[in-house]
Amino acid sequence: MRKYGPVIGLPFSVEGIFFFLEAIFTGIYLYGWRRLGGWAHFWSGIPIAVSGIFGALSVMAANSWMNQPGGFTMKAGRIVSVEPLKVFFNRAAAYEMPHMLLAAYLVAGFGVASVYAVGFLRGRRDRYHRLGFAIPFVLAAALTPVEFLVGDTAARAIATDQPVKFAAMEYVTHTARDAPEYLGGVYADGHVYGALRIPGLDSLLVGFSTHAKVTGLDSVPPADRPPVPWLIHLAFDVMAGLGSLSLIPLLWLLLAWWRRRALPKHRWFWLLAAGAGPAAVVAMEAGWIVTEVGRQPWVVYKLMTTAQAATTNPGVIASLSAVIVLYAVLGVATILILRLLARRWRAGDEQEAAVPYGPPSTDASALGGEAA
Amino acid sequence: MVLLIHGSVLLATAREVVPARAQMATTLGFHIILACFGIAFPTIVLAAEYIGLKRSDEVAMTLARRWSQALGVLVAVGAVTGTVCRSRWACCGLG
C-alpha cells in the first residue's frame, strides 16, 4: 500500500484537520454551557457538526478512491504526480459520500431515539422523553427515504463501475439478460441454493428493463472474484431489508401526526422504534461488509491486491487477540459510562463537571432560553 | 448482533488471509459506529438547542445539555479508536 501512499494519504490528512477542529469545538461547546450566552453557545456548536460532516466526506473520499482509483500519474511503478481534486471527487465519491453520510445520520438518529423508545415502553412518557425521542427520530426517519434512493442509485452505479462486486451482491453467476433477483440463499460452486428467486427483477433494477444485460461472476477468472459471495450477498440483503423495514415506523408516524398531531400510541410502534437503533447499526455494518469484502481480491480496485498490501508480520495474531480484548473492554466501558450519566440525570444530579481554573459560571446563561 | 456479524467476517476471512485483515475488520468495524455518532450526533444536539432557544423551551435545553455530555464521551472514545485505525494505516504507509 506504500506505493499509493502519496495519493490516499491526502484525504486522510485532510480528515485529520477536520477531526482536530471537531475535537476543539466539542471542547468549547461542552465548556461553554454556563459561560456563553444562548445563541453564542449555539453557534460555537455549528463547527462541530460541519467538521464532523467534512471529516466523514474525507474518509469516504479515500474509501471511494479505493473503489474507483484515479487522479494520479505513474511512471516506472512510481507515483509522479497527483491531482487532489480528482482523487477526492473520484467516480465512486458521488454516490458513496452521500450514502455513508446519511447512514451516519440514521445510526445516530435512530440510536438516540431508541434509548427514549425503551424509556417510553418502561412507562417514562413525560414530555422530556417524548421530545428526546421525537427530535432524533424525526430527523432519521425523514432521511430514510432519501437514503433509500441514494442506495438504489449507488447499486446501479456499482453494476457499471464494479460489475464483479455487483455480481456477488446479487448472485449473478453468468453474464445474461433477464437476470433474476435472489433474496437470501447461499452460493456454492456456481449455484444458488435456498433463495427466493424473482425472474427478471435484477435486470429491471439495473437497467429498467428485464432485457437489460447484467455482468456475472464468470466475466473474470476465479482468482479475480471475491472469495465469499454468500457473505456479500447476505450482507446486502440485510442492509436493503432493514432499510425497507425502517420505512414502516416513518409511515406510522406520518399517519399518527396527520390524524391526531401526536406521536403514535400503539405498543408496536414503540417496539419498532426501540429496535430501529440497533437495526441501523447492523445495516450500516452490513453495508460496509458489502463494499469492503465485495472489492476483494483488490484493495485498490484492479491495481493492487489485498495480499500485496496486507502485513505478513508474524506478530499479528498476538496483536489481533490484544485488539479484540481491548475493544471489548472499551465497548463495555463506554456503555457503562453512558448508563452512569443517564442514572445521574434521572436522579436530577445535574452539576456540571467542575472545570479547574475555569471562570465562574453564570447561572443566567445556563438557562439559555431567557437569552432568546 | 454486531458481534455476530463481526464473527462471520472473522470466520470468512480467517482461512483466506490473514489475521491482518481480521484485525483491520475489528478496528474499523468498531470505530465506524463511534464515527457515525461523531458525524451526526452534533446535529441532533444542535437541533435540540435550537428548539430550546427559539421557543424558550427548558426541556429541549436540558436534552441538549445532557446529550452534549454523551457526545463528549463518544467523541473521546472515537478519538482513541480512530487513532488505532490511523496507526494501522500508517503501518501501510497511508497515514
Side-chain angles (χ1 to χ4, degrees), chain A residues 15 22 29 105 127 285 372, chain B residues 29 38 43 49 53 57 68 86:
Chain A
E15 192 273 336
E22 175 164 10
Y29 188 77
Y105 272 86
R127 180 152 181 280
E285 296 274 9
Chain B
T43 308
E49 187 175 11
L53 290 169
D57 186 335
S68 71
R86 218 161 241 288

Side-chain angles (χ1 to χ4, degrees), chain A residues 4 11 17 40 96 104 128 139 179 210 215-216 221 254 278 299 304 314-316 334 343 352 358 365:
Chain A
Y4 294 101
I17 296 169
E96 270 199 37
Y128 173 81
L139 181 73
T210 52
T215 308
L254 285 175
V299 65
M304 178 182 252
V316 161
T334 308
R343 233 190 339 263
E352 222 178 327
S365 63

Side-chain angles (χ1 to χ4, degrees), chain A residues 103-129:
Chain A
Y105 272 86
L106 299 191
V107 165
F110 284 131
V112 175
S114 66
V115 173
Y116 293 88
V118 170
F120 194 93
L121 285 165
R122 288 183 181 165
R124 297 190 199 106
R125 302 184 177 184
D126 51 357
R127 180 152 181 280
Y128 173 81
H129 282 83

Side-chain angles (χ1 to χ4, degrees), chain A residues 1-2 5 8-9 12 15-16 19 22 29-30 33-34 38-39 41-42 45-46 48-49 52-53 56 100-101 104-105 107-109 112 116 127-128 131-132 135-136 139 227-228 231 281-282 284-285 288-289 296 306 310-311 316-317 319-320 323-324 327 330-331 334 337-338 341 345 350 366-369 372, chain B residues 1-2 5 8-10 12 16 18-23 25-30 32-33 36-54 56-75 77 79-81 84 86 88-89 91-95:
Chain A
M1 205 62 196
R2 200 170 292 280
I8 204 169
F12 280 126
E15 192 273 336
F19 169 71
E22 175 164 10
Y29 188 77
L30 286 176
W33 268 113
R34 289 168 200 276
W39 284 104
H41 182 260
F42 173 81
I46 295 290
I48 311 175
I53 290 167
M100 181 64 220
L101 190 60
Y105 272 86
V107 165
V112 175
Y116 293 88
R127 180 152 181 280
Y128 173 81
L131 192 65
I135 293 171
L139 181 73
V228 274
L231 175 67
V281 173
V282 170
M284 183 268 298
E285 296 274 9
W288 172 64
I289 289 171
Q296 304 305 322
T306 307
T311 170
V316 161
I317 296 229
S319 83
L320 170 64
V323 158
I324 291 176
Y327 275 42
L330 199 63
T334 308
I337 291 172
L338 291 175
L341 273 178
W345 293 336
E350 181 101 34
L367 295 175
Chain B
M1 201 59 191
V2 175
I5 292 182
S8 64
V9 177
L10 284 185
E16 198 64 32
V18 256
R21 207 189 276 181
Q23 182 162 326
T26 312
T27 47
L28 283 175
F30 192 94
I32 199 169
I33 302 174
C36 284
F37 281 90
I39 294 160
F41 201 4
T43 308
I44 297 168
V45 177
L46 287 169
E49 187 175 11
Y50 183 84
I51 293 171
L53 290 169
K54 209 67 182 170
S56 301
D57 186 335
E58 262 320 301
V59 173
M61 284 313 270
T62 307
L63 281 169
R65 209 159 41 233
R66 291 177 176 181
W67 283 347
S68 71
Q69 291 175 20
L71 174 68
V73 173
L74 292 171
V75 166
V77 182
V80 175
T81 58
V84 174
R86 218 161 241 288
R88 297 268 151 248
W89 286 317
C91 288
C92 306
L94 302 182

